[in-house]
Amino acid sequence: MKSIKSALVGLLAVVGGAMAIANPSQPQYEEYAIAQLTGYLKDNVCTQAPKDFGEVLPSYCTSLVDVGRPQLQKMISENTDQLNFIFFSIYRTELSIGPFLPGYQFETVAVFHKFYTYQAQKPY
């Protein structure tokens, strides 16, 4: 019985250590977040651009997203809070582009070098 407890404690220590080492950093989260945001904008927002002039506006929208990537990344960096629990982290990002566009709040859990966004809502 004692050896089973020792083995279980050892296993928990190894898993805990692996989780702590594999807990992604905030810069890694920011890369994930910018990739998700630009992908969403290109796939969902730009495709909704009026096609009165053919594919000009959707193409221009995609180019604007690419050009604005550094500003979007800065906005994500400045509006993200990290709750670090050593074994995993929770990232909360609030994005508001302007007074006439809705703001969004995202919550993402990071564990084992992976990110899982579990909440995305319009809080305001």
Side-chain angles (χ1 to χ4, degrees), residues 5-73:
K5 283 184 182 180
S6 296
L8 204 57
V9 168
L11 179 63
L12 287 174
V14 168
V15 170
M19 287 178 74
I21 291 169
N23 185 6
S25 65
Q26 184 151 345
Q28 290 170 315
Y29 166 75
E30 291 170 11
E31 283 297 317
Y32 162 82
I34 193 67
Q36 294 296 309
L37 180 59
T38 56
Y40 176 81
L41 290 172
K42 288 178 181 181
D43 295 342
N44 296 293
V45 176
C46 291
T47 58
Q48 300 300 316
K51 296 186 172 135
D52 296 340
F53 304 105
E55 291 296 317
V56 174
L57 288 179
S59 176
Y60 185 66
C61 177
T62 301
S63 296
L64 280 176
V65 170
D66 290 335
V67 168
R69 186 179 172 103
Q71 290 79 12
L72 291 171
Q73 191 161 3

Short mmCIF file of all heavy atoms in Angstrom, two decimals, residues 5-73:
data_model
loop_
_atom_site.label_atom_id
_atom_site.label_comp_id
_atom_site.label_asym_id
_atom_site.label_seq_id
_atom_site.Cartn_x
_atom_site.Cartn_y
_atom_site.Cartn_z
N LYS A 5 1.10 4.48 -2.80
CA LYS A 5 1.00 5.90 -2.45
C LYS A 5 2.24 6.65 -2.94
O LYS A 5 2.13 7.75 -3.48
CB LYS A 5 0.85 6.08 -0.94
CG LYS A 5 -0.52 5.78 -0.42
CD LYS A 5 -0.60 6.08 1.06
CE LYS A 5 -1.96 5.75 1.63
NZ LYS A 5 -2.04 6.03 3.06
N SER A 6 3.40 6.06 -2.76
CA SER A 6 4.64 6.70 -3.23
C SER A 6 4.64 6.85 -4.74
O SER A 6 5.06 7.90 -5.27
CB SER A 6 5.85 5.87 -2.80
OG SER A 6 5.96 5.84 -1.41
N ALA A 7 4.19 5.82 -5.44
CA ALA A 7 4.13 5.88 -6.90
C ALA A 7 3.14 6.95 -7.36
O ALA A 7 3.41 7.70 -8.30
CB ALA A 7 3.74 4.52 -7.47
N LEU A 8 2.01 7.05 -6.67
CA LEU A 8 1.00 8.05 -7.00
C LEU A 8 1.51 9.47 -6.76
O LEU A 8 1.33 10.36 -7.60
CB LEU A 8 -0.27 7.80 -6.17
CG LEU A 8 -1.56 8.31 -6.73
CD1 LEU A 8 -1.83 7.75 -8.11
CD2 LEU A 8 -2.71 7.97 -5.80
N VAL A 9 2.20 9.67 -5.64
CA VAL A 9 2.78 10.98 -5.34
C VAL A 9 3.85 11.33 -6.39
O VAL A 9 3.92 12.46 -6.87
CB VAL A 9 3.36 11.01 -3.91
CG1 VAL A 9 4.23 12.24 -3.68
CG2 VAL A 9 2.25 10.95 -2.88
N GLY A 10 4.66 10.37 -6.75
CA GLY A 10 5.69 10.59 -7.77
C GLY A 10 5.07 10.93 -9.12
O GLY A 10 5.53 11.85 -9.81
N LEU A 11 4.01 10.22 -9.48
CA LEU A 11 3.32 10.50 -10.74
C LEU A 11 2.71 11.89 -10.74
O LEU A 11 2.84 12.63 -11.72
CB LEU A 11 2.23 9.45 -10.98
CG LEU A 11 1.41 9.62 -12.26
CD1 LEU A 11 2.30 9.49 -13.49
CD2 LEU A 11 0.27 8.62 -12.29
N LEU A 12 2.10 12.27 -9.65
CA LEU A 12 1.52 13.62 -9.55
C LEU A 12 2.61 14.69 -9.63
O LEU A 12 2.41 15.74 -10.24
CB LEU A 12 0.73 13.77 -8.25
CG LEU A 12 -0.62 13.04 -8.21
CD1 LEU A 12 -1.24 13.16 -6.82
CD2 LEU A 12 -1.57 13.59 -9.26
N ALA A 13 3.74 14.43 -9.04
CA ALA A 13 4.85 15.39 -9.09
C ALA A 13 5.36 15.55 -10.52
O ALA A 13 5.64 16.67 -10.98
CB ALA A 13 5.98 14.95 -8.17
N VAL A 14 5.49 14.45 -11.24
CA VAL A 14 5.95 14.49 -12.63
C VAL A 14 4.95 15.24 -13.50
O VAL A 14 5.32 16.11 -14.29
CB VAL A 14 6.22 13.07 -13.17
CG1 VAL A 14 6.42 13.08 -14.68
CG2 VAL A 14 7.41 12.46 -12.48
N VAL A 15 3.66 14.92 -13.37
CA VAL A 15 2.63 15.59 -14.16
C VAL A 15 2.58 17.08 -13.81
O VAL A 15 2.50 17.93 -14.70
CB VAL A 15 1.25 14.92 -13.96
CG1 VAL A 15 0.14 15.75 -14.58
CG2 VAL A 15 1.25 13.52 -14.54
N GLY A 16 2.63 17.40 -12.53
CA GLY A 16 2.63 18.81 -12.11
C GLY A 16 3.83 19.56 -12.65
O GLY A 16 3.71 20.70 -13.12
N GLY A 17 5.00 18.94 -12.61
CA GLY A 17 6.20 19.57 -13.15
C GLY A 17 6.08 19.79 -14.65
O GLY A 17 6.46 20.85 -15.16
N ALA A 18 5.55 18.80 -15.36
CA ALA A 18 5.36 18.94 -16.81
C ALA A 18 4.38 20.05 -17.13
O ALA A 18 4.59 20.83 -18.06
CB ALA A 18 4.88 17.62 -17.41
N MET A 19 3.32 20.15 -16.33
CA MET A 19 2.34 21.22 -16.55
C MET A 19 2.96 22.59 -16.30
O MET A 19 2.71 23.54 -17.04
CB MET A 19 1.12 21.02 -15.65
CG MET A 19 0.22 19.88 -16.08
SD MET A 19 -1.18 19.65 -14.97
CE MET A 19 -2.21 21.05 -15.45
N ALA A 20 3.75 22.71 -15.25
CA ALA A 20 4.39 23.99 -14.94
C ALA A 20 5.36 24.40 -16.04
O ALA A 20 5.39 25.57 -16.45
CB ALA A 20 5.11 23.91 -13.59
N ILE A 21 6.12 23.46 -16.55
CA ILE A 21 7.08 23.75 -17.62
C ILE A 21 6.35 24.09 -18.92
O ILE A 21 6.78 24.97 -19.66
CB ILE A 21 8.04 22.56 -17.83
CG1 ILE A 21 8.97 22.43 -16.62
CG2 ILE A 21 8.83 22.70 -19.12
CD1 ILE A 21 9.77 21.16 -16.60
N ALA A 22 5.24 23.43 -19.18
CA ALA A 22 4.51 23.61 -20.44
C ALA A 22 3.45 24.70 -20.36
O ALA A 22 2.67 24.86 -21.29
CB ALA A 22 3.87 22.29 -20.86
N ASN A 23 3.42 25.47 -19.27
CA ASN A 23 2.45 26.57 -19.15
C ASN A 23 2.87 27.69 -20.11
O ASN A 23 3.92 28.29 -19.94
CB ASN A 23 2.42 27.06 -17.71
CG ASN A 23 1.35 28.12 -17.48
OD1 ASN A 23 0.55 28.41 -18.35
ND2 ASN A 23 1.34 28.68 -16.29
N PRO A 24 2.06 27.99 -21.13
CA PRO A 24 2.45 29.01 -22.12
C PRO A 24 2.59 30.40 -21.51
O PRO A 24 1.88 30.77 -20.57
CB PRO A 24 1.30 28.98 -23.14
CG PRO A 24 0.63 27.68 -22.94
CD PRO A 24 0.80 27.35 -21.49
N SER A 25 3.48 31.18 -22.08
CA SER A 25 3.74 32.55 -21.61
C SER A 25 2.76 33.53 -22.27
O SER A 25 2.08 33.20 -23.24
CB SER A 25 5.17 32.95 -21.96
OG SER A 25 5.32 33.01 -23.37
N GLN A 26 2.75 34.76 -21.77
CA GLN A 26 1.88 35.78 -22.35
C GLN A 26 2.25 36.09 -23.81
O GLN A 26 1.35 36.23 -24.64
CB GLN A 26 1.84 37.06 -21.52
CG GLN A 26 0.85 38.06 -22.09
CD GLN A 26 0.23 38.98 -21.10
OE1 GLN A 26 0.29 38.75 -19.90
NE2 GLN A 26 -0.38 40.03 -21.59
N PRO A 27 3.55 36.20 -24.17
CA PRO A 27 3.85 36.40 -25.60
C PRO A 27 3.32 35.27 -26.49
O PRO A 27 2.87 35.52 -27.61
CB PRO A 27 5.37 36.48 -25.64
CG PRO A 27 5.74 36.98 -24.28
CD PRO A 27 4.75 36.34 -23.35
N GLN A 28 3.35 34.05 -25.99
CA GLN A 28 2.79 32.94 -26.76
C GLN A 28 1.28 33.10 -26.91
O GLN A 28 0.71 32.83 -27.97
CB GLN A 28 3.12 31.60 -26.10
CG GLN A 28 4.59 31.23 -26.21
CD GLN A 28 4.93 30.03 -25.35
OE1 GLN A 28 4.53 29.93 -24.19
NE2 GLN A 28 5.70 29.11 -25.92
N TYR A 29 0.63 33.53 -25.83
CA TYR A 29 -0.81 33.79 -25.90
C TYR A 29 -1.11 34.88 -26.92
O TYR A 29 -2.05 34.77 -27.71
CB TYR A 29 -1.39 34.20 -24.54
CG TYR A 29 -2.78 34.78 -24.69
CD1 TYR A 29 -3.87 33.95 -24.94
CD2 TYR A 29 -2.99 36.15 -24.65
CE1 TYR A 29 -5.14 34.47 -25.13
CE2 TYR A 29 -4.25 36.68 -24.83
CZ TYR A 29 -5.32 35.84 -25.07
OH TYR A 29 -6.57 36.37 -25.27
N GLU A 30 -0.32 35.95 -26.91
CA GLU A 30 -0.55 37.06 -27.83
C GLU A 30 -0.44 36.61 -29.28
O GLU A 30 -1.21 37.04 -30.14
CB GLU A 30 0.40 38.21 -27.52
CG GLU A 30 0.07 38.88 -26.20
CD GLU A 30 1.12 39.87 -25.73
OE1 GLU A 30 2.03 40.22 -26.52
OE2 GLU A 30 1.04 40.30 -24.57
N GLU A 31 0.51 35.73 -29.58
CA GLU A 31 0.63 35.18 -30.93
C GLU A 31 -0.62 34.37 -31.29
O GLU A 31 -1.14 34.48 -32.40
CB GLU A 31 1.88 34.30 -31.06
CG GLU A 31 3.16 35.09 -31.19
CD GLU A 31 3.19 35.94 -32.45
OE1 GLU A 31 2.79 35.47 -33.54
OE2 GLU A 31 3.61 37.11 -32.35
N TYR A 32 -1.08 33.57 -30.35
CA TYR A 32 -2.31 32.80 -30.57
C TYR A 32 -3.49 33.73 -30.81
O TYR A 32 -4.26 33.56 -31.75
CB TYR A 32 -2.57 31.90 -29.35
CG TYR A 32 -4.00 31.40 -29.25
CD1 TYR A 32 -4.42 30.30 -29.99
CD2 TYR A 32 -4.92 32.03 -28.42
CE1 TYR A 32 -5.73 29.84 -29.90
CE2 TYR A 32 -6.22 31.57 -28.32
CZ TYR A 32 -6.62 30.49 -29.06
OH TYR A 32 -7.91 30.03 -28.98
N ALA A 33 -3.63 34.76 -29.96
CA ALA A 33 -4.77 35.67 -30.04
C ALA A 33 -4.77 36.46 -31.35
O ALA A 33 -5.83 36.62 -31.97
CB ALA A 33 -4.77 36.62 -28.84
N ILE A 34 -3.62 36.94 -31.79
CA ILE A 34 -3.58 37.70 -33.04
C ILE A 34 -3.89 36.80 -34.22
O ILE A 34 -4.57 37.22 -35.17
CB ILE A 34 -2.25 38.48 -33.22
CG1 ILE A 34 -2.36 39.51 -34.35
CG2 ILE A 34 -1.09 37.56 -33.50
CD1 ILE A 34 -3.30 40.63 -34.09
N ALA A 35 -3.43 35.57 -34.19
CA ALA A 35 -3.74 34.63 -35.28
C ALA A 35 -5.24 34.35 -35.32
O ALA A 35 -5.85 34.32 -36.40
CB ALA A 35 -2.96 33.33 -35.10
N GLN A 36 -5.86 34.17 -34.15
CA GLN A 36 -7.30 33.92 -34.09
C GLN A 36 -8.08 35.14 -34.58
O GLN A 36 -9.03 35.01 -35.35
CB GLN A 36 -7.72 33.57 -32.66
CG GLN A 36 -7.17 32.26 -32.16
CD GLN A 36 -7.69 31.08 -32.94
OE1 GLN A 36 -8.89 30.93 -33.13
NE2 GLN A 36 -6.79 30.25 -33.43
N LEU A 37 -7.68 36.33 -34.11
CA LEU A 37 -8.40 37.55 -34.47
C LEU A 37 -8.28 37.86 -35.96
O LEU A 37 -9.28 38.14 -36.62
CB LEU A 37 -7.89 38.73 -33.64
CG LEU A 37 -8.55 40.08 -33.90
CD1 LEU A 37 -10.05 40.02 -33.65
CD2 LEU A 37 -7.90 41.16 -33.04
N THR A 38 -7.07 37.80 -36.51
CA THR A 38 -6.92 38.11 -37.94
C THR A 38 -7.62 37.06 -38.80
O THR A 38 -8.22 37.39 -39.82
CB THR A 38 -5.43 38.24 -38.34
OG1 THR A 38 -4.73 37.05 -38.00
CG2 THR A 38 -4.78 39.44 -37.67
N GLY A 39 -7.56 35.81 -38.38
CA GLY A 39 -8.28 34.76 -39.12
C GLY A 39 -9.78 35.00 -39.11
O GLY A 39 -10.45 34.86 -40.13
N TYR A 40 -10.30 35.38 -37.95
CA TYR A 40 -11.73 35.66 -37.84
C TYR A 40 -12.12 36.84 -38.73
O TYR A 40 -13.11 36.79 -39.45
CB TYR A 40 -12.12 35.95 -36.39
CG TYR A 40 -13.57 36.34 -36.25
CD1 TYR A 40 -14.57 35.38 -36.22
CD2 TYR A 40 -13.94 37.68 -36.19
CE1 TYR A 40 -15.89 35.74 -36.12
CE2 TYR A 40 -15.27 38.05 -36.10
CZ TYR A 40 -16.24 37.07 -36.06
OH TYR A 40 -17.57 37.43 -35.97
N LEU A 41 -11.33 37.92 -38.67
CA LEU A 41 -11.64 39.09 -39.48
C LEU A 41 -11.63 38.77 -40.97
O LEU A 41 -12.53 39.16 -41.71
CB LEU A 41 -10.65 40.22 -39.17
CG LEU A 41 -10.77 40.87 -37.80
CD1 LEU A 41 -9.62 41.83 -37.56
CD2 LEU A 41 -12.12 41.57 -37.63
N LYS A 42 -10.61 38.03 -41.40
CA LYS A 42 -10.51 37.69 -42.82
C LYS A 42 -11.62 36.74 -43.27
O LYS A 42 -12.20 36.92 -44.35
CB LYS A 42 -9.15 37.05 -43.12
CG LYS A 42 -8.00 38.03 -43.08
CD LYS A 42 -6.69 37.31 -43.33
CE LYS A 42 -5.51 38.25 -43.28
NZ LYS A 42 -4.25 37.55 -43.55
N ASP A 43 -11.94 35.75 -42.44
CA ASP A 43 -12.91 34.72 -42.83
C ASP A 43 -14.36 35.15 -42.65
O ASP A 43 -15.24 34.66 -43.35
CB ASP A 43 -12.67 33.43 -42.05
CG ASP A 43 -11.34 32.79 -42.38
OD1 ASP A 43 -10.76 33.12 -43.43
OD2 ASP A 43 -10.88 31.95 -41.57
N ASN A 44 -14.62 36.04 -41.69
CA ASN A 44 -16.00 36.39 -41.39
C ASN A 44 -16.38 37.83 -41.69
O ASN A 44 -17.47 38.09 -42.16
CB ASN A 44 -16.30 36.08 -39.91
CG ASN A 44 -16.18 34.61 -39.62
OD1 ASN A 44 -16.96 33.82 -40.10
ND2 ASN A 44 -15.17 34.23 -38.85
N VAL A 45 -15.50 38.75 -41.39
CA VAL A 45 -15.82 40.17 -41.59
C VAL A 45 -15.55 40.58 -43.04
O VAL A 45 -16.41 41.15 -43.70
CB VAL A 45 -15.06 41.06 -40.59
CG1 VAL A 45 -15.32 42.53 -40.87
CG2 VAL A 45 -15.45 40.70 -39.16
N CYS A 46 -14.37 40.28 -43.53
CA CYS A 46 -14.02 40.69 -44.90
C CYS A 46 -14.90 40.03 -45.95
O CYS A 46 -15.20 40.62 -46.99
CB CYS A 46 -12.55 40.40 -45.19
SG CYS A 46 -11.42 41.46 -44.26
N THR A 47 -15.33 38.82 -45.71
CA THR A 47 -16.18 38.13 -46.67
C THR A 47 -17.58 38.75 -46.73
O THR A 47 -18.32 38.51 -47.68
CB THR A 47 -16.30 36.63 -46.35
OG1 THR A 47 -16.83 36.49 -45.03
CG2 THR A 47 -14.96 35.94 -46.46
N GLN A 48 -17.94 39.55 -45.73
CA GLN A 48 -19.24 40.21 -45.71
C GLN A 48 -19.20 41.59 -46.38
O GLN A 48 -20.23 42.26 -46.46
CB GLN A 48 -19.73 40.37 -44.26
CG GLN A 48 -19.88 39.06 -43.52
CD GLN A 48 -20.88 38.13 -44.19
OE1 GLN A 48 -21.95 38.56 -44.61
NE2 GLN A 48 -20.53 36.86 -44.32
N ALA A 49 -18.03 42.02 -46.82
CA ALA A 49 -17.92 43.32 -47.48
C ALA A 49 -18.76 43.31 -48.76
O ALA A 49 -18.83 42.30 -49.46
CB ALA A 49 -16.45 43.62 -47.81
N PRO A 50 -19.42 44.45 -49.06
CA PRO A 50 -20.24 44.51 -50.27
C PRO A 50 -19.42 44.19 -51.52
O PRO A 50 -18.28 44.59 -51.65
CB PRO A 50 -20.71 45.97 -50.31
CG PRO A 50 -20.54 46.48 -48.93
CD PRO A 50 -19.42 45.70 -48.32
N LYS A 51 -20.02 43.44 -52.41
CA LYS A 51 -19.33 43.01 -53.63
C LYS A 51 -19.84 43.78 -54.84
O LYS A 51 -19.89 43.24 -55.94
CB LYS A 51 -19.49 41.51 -53.80
CG LYS A 51 -18.82 40.76 -52.68
CD LYS A 51 -18.83 39.28 -52.87
CE LYS A 51 -17.96 38.70 -51.79
NZ LYS A 51 -18.37 37.62 -51.09
N ASP A 52 -20.17 45.05 -54.63
CA ASP A 52 -20.66 45.88 -55.73
C ASP A 52 -19.60 46.06 -56.81
O ASP A 52 -19.93 46.25 -57.98
CB ASP A 52 -21.08 47.26 -55.21
CG ASP A 52 -22.26 47.18 -54.25
OD1 ASP A 52 -22.97 46.15 -54.28
OD2 ASP A 52 -22.45 48.12 -53.47
N PHE A 53 -18.35 46.03 -56.43
CA PHE A 53 -17.25 46.22 -57.37
C PHE A 53 -16.46 44.93 -57.56
O PHE A 53 -15.25 44.96 -57.74
CB PHE A 53 -16.33 47.33 -56.88
CG PHE A 53 -17.03 48.63 -56.62
CD1 PHE A 53 -17.29 49.04 -55.31
CD2 PHE A 53 -17.47 49.42 -57.67
CE1 PHE A 53 -17.95 50.23 -55.08
CE2 PHE A 53 -18.12 50.61 -57.43
CZ PHE A 53 -18.38 51.02 -56.13
N GLY A 54 -17.12 43.81 -57.45
CA GLY A 54 -16.42 42.53 -57.57
C GLY A 54 -15.76 42.17 -56.25
O GLY A 54 -16.32 42.34 -55.19
N GLU A 55 -14.54 41.69 -56.32
CA GLU A 55 -13.81 41.27 -55.13
C GLU A 55 -12.88 42.36 -54.59
O GLU A 55 -12.01 42.07 -53.77
CB GLU A 55 -13.00 40.01 -55.44
CG GLU A 55 -13.85 38.78 -55.67
CD GLU A 55 -14.63 38.36 -54.42
OE1 GLU A 55 -14.07 38.37 -53.32
OE2 GLU A 55 -15.83 38.03 -54.58
N VAL A 56 -13.06 43.60 -55.02
CA VAL A 56 -12.17 44.68 -54.61
C VAL A 56 -12.25 44.93 -53.12
O VAL A 56 -11.23 44.95 -52.43
CB VAL A 56 -12.46 45.97 -55.41
CG1 VAL A 56 -11.64 47.13 -54.88
CG2 VAL A 56 -12.18 45.75 -56.89
N LEU A 57 -13.46 45.14 -52.59
CA LEU A 57 -13.59 45.45 -51.16
C LEU A 57 -13.17 44.29 -50.25
O LEU A 57 -12.44 44.51 -49.29
CB LEU A 57 -15.01 45.92 -50.83
CG LEU A 57 -15.37 47.31 -51.35
CD1 LEU A 57 -16.81 47.66 -51.00
CD2 LEU A 57 -14.43 48.36 -50.81
N PRO A 58 -13.60 43.06 -50.52
CA PRO A 58 -13.10 41.97 -49.67
C PRO A 58 -11.58 41.83 -49.71
O PRO A 58 -10.95 41.58 -48.69
CB PRO A 58 -13.79 40.73 -50.24
CG PRO A 58 -15.04 41.24 -50.87
CD PRO A 58 -14.65 42.60 -51.42
N SER A 59 -11.00 42.02 -50.88
CA SER A 59 -9.54 41.93 -51.00
C SER A 59 -8.87 43.08 -50.25
O SER A 59 -7.86 42.89 -49.57
CB SER A 59 -9.15 41.96 -52.48
OG SER A 59 -7.76 41.98 -52.61
N TYR A 60 -9.43 44.28 -50.38
CA TYR A 60 -8.89 45.45 -49.67
C TYR A 60 -9.01 45.25 -48.16
O TYR A 60 -8.09 45.58 -47.41
CB TYR A 60 -9.65 46.70 -50.12
CG TYR A 60 -9.10 47.98 -49.55
CD1 TYR A 60 -7.83 48.42 -49.90
CD2 TYR A 60 -9.85 48.74 -48.67
CE1 TYR A 60 -7.32 49.60 -49.37
CE2 TYR A 60 -9.35 49.92 -48.14
CZ TYR A 60 -8.09 50.35 -48.50
OH TYR A 60 -7.58 51.50 -47.99
N CYS A 61 -10.13 44.68 -47.72
CA CYS A 61 -10.33 44.40 -46.29
C CYS A 61 -9.25 43.45 -45.78
O CYS A 61 -8.67 43.68 -44.72
CB CYS A 61 -11.72 43.81 -46.08
SG CYS A 61 -12.08 43.34 -44.37
N THR A 62 -8.98 42.40 -46.51
CA THR A 62 -7.94 41.44 -46.13
C THR A 62 -6.58 42.11 -46.04
O THR A 62 -5.82 41.86 -45.10
CB THR A 62 -7.90 40.27 -47.13
OG1 THR A 62 -9.18 39.64 -47.14
CG2 THR A 62 -6.86 39.25 -46.77
N SER A 63 -6.29 42.98 -46.98
CA SER A 63 -5.02 43.72 -46.94
C SER A 63 -4.95 44.64 -45.72
O SER A 63 -3.90 44.76 -45.10
CB SER A 63 -4.84 44.55 -48.22
OG SER A 63 -4.75 43.71 -49.33
N LEU A 64 -6.07 45.28 -45.39
CA LEU A 64 -6.12 46.15 -44.21
C LEU A 64 -5.85 45.36 -42.93
O LEU A 64 -5.16 45.83 -42.02
CB LEU A 64 -7.47 46.85 -44.10
CG LEU A 64 -7.66 48.07 -44.97
CD1 LEU A 64 -9.09 48.60 -44.84
CD2 LEU A 64 -6.67 49.16 -44.61
N VAL A 65 -6.39 44.15 -42.85
CA VAL A 65 -6.15 43.30 -41.68
C VAL A 65 -4.66 42.99 -41.57
O VAL A 65 -4.08 43.07 -40.49
CB VAL A 65 -6.99 42.01 -41.74
CG1 VAL A 65 -6.57 41.02 -40.67
CG2 VAL A 65 -8.48 42.34 -41.61
N ASP A 66 -4.03 42.66 -42.68
CA ASP A 66 -2.60 42.36 -42.68
C ASP A 66 -1.77 43.57 -42.27
O ASP A 66 -0.84 43.46 -41.47
CB ASP A 66 -2.14 41.85 -44.04
CG ASP A 66 -2.67 40.46 -44.35
OD1 ASP A 66 -2.98 39.71 -43.40
OD2 ASP A 66 -2.79 40.13 -45.55
N VAL A 67 -2.12 44.73 -42.82
CA VAL A 67 -1.37 45.96 -42.51
C VAL A 67 -1.59 46.37 -41.05
O VAL A 67 -0.67 46.86 -40.39
CB VAL A 67 -1.80 47.11 -43.47
CG1 VAL A 67 -1.28 48.45 -43.01
CG2 VAL A 67 -1.33 46.80 -44.88
N GLY A 68 -2.79 46.15 -40.55
CA GLY A 68 -3.10 46.55 -39.17
C GLY A 68 -2.70 45.55 -38.11
O GLY A 68 -2.91 45.77 -36.92
N ARG A 69 -2.08 44.46 -38.52
CA ARG A 69 -1.70 43.40 -37.57
C ARG A 69 -0.84 43.92 -36.41
O ARG A 69 -1.12 43.57 -35.25
CB ARG A 69 -0.99 42.27 -38.32
CG ARG A 69 -0.68 41.07 -37.44
CD ARG A 69 0.01 39.98 -38.25
NE ARG A 69 0.48 38.93 -37.39
CZ ARG A 69 -0.12 37.75 -37.25
NH1 ARG A 69 -1.20 37.48 -37.94
NH2 ARG A 69 0.37 36.85 -36.43
N PRO A 70 0.18 44.75 -36.63
CA PRO A 70 0.97 45.23 -35.48
C PRO A 70 0.14 46.05 -34.48
O PRO A 70 0.32 45.92 -33.27
CB PRO A 70 2.06 46.10 -36.13
CG PRO A 70 2.17 45.61 -37.53
CD PRO A 70 0.79 45.17 -37.90
N GLN A 71 -0.79 46.84 -35.00
CA GLN A 71 -1.65 47.62 -34.09
C GLN A 71 -2.60 46.72 -33.33
O GLN A 71 -2.85 46.93 -32.14
CB GLN A 71 -2.44 48.68 -34.88
CG GLN A 71 -1.61 49.81 -35.42
CD GLN A 71 -0.85 49.44 -36.71
OE1 GLN A 71 -1.10 48.42 -37.33
NE2 GLN A 71 0.09 50.29 -37.09
N LEU A 72 -3.14 45.70 -34.00
CA LEU A 72 -4.01 44.74 -33.32
C LEU A 72 -3.23 43.99 -32.24
O LEU A 72 -3.74 43.77 -31.14
CB LEU A 72 -4.61 43.76 -34.32
CG LEU A 72 -5.64 44.31 -35.30
CD1 LEU A 72 -5.98 43.27 -36.36
CD2 LEU A 72 -6.89 44.75 -34.57
N GLN A 73 -2.00 43.61 -32.55
CA GLN A 73 -1.18 42.89 -31.58
C GLN A 73 -0.88 43.78 -30.36
O GLN A 73 -0.94 43.31 -29.22
CB GLN A 73 0.11 42.41 -32.21
CG GLN A 73 0.88 41.45 -31.33
CD GLN A 73 1.90 40.63 -32.11
OE1 GLN A 73 2.07 40.81 -33.30
NE2 GLN A 73 2.56 39.74 -31.43
#
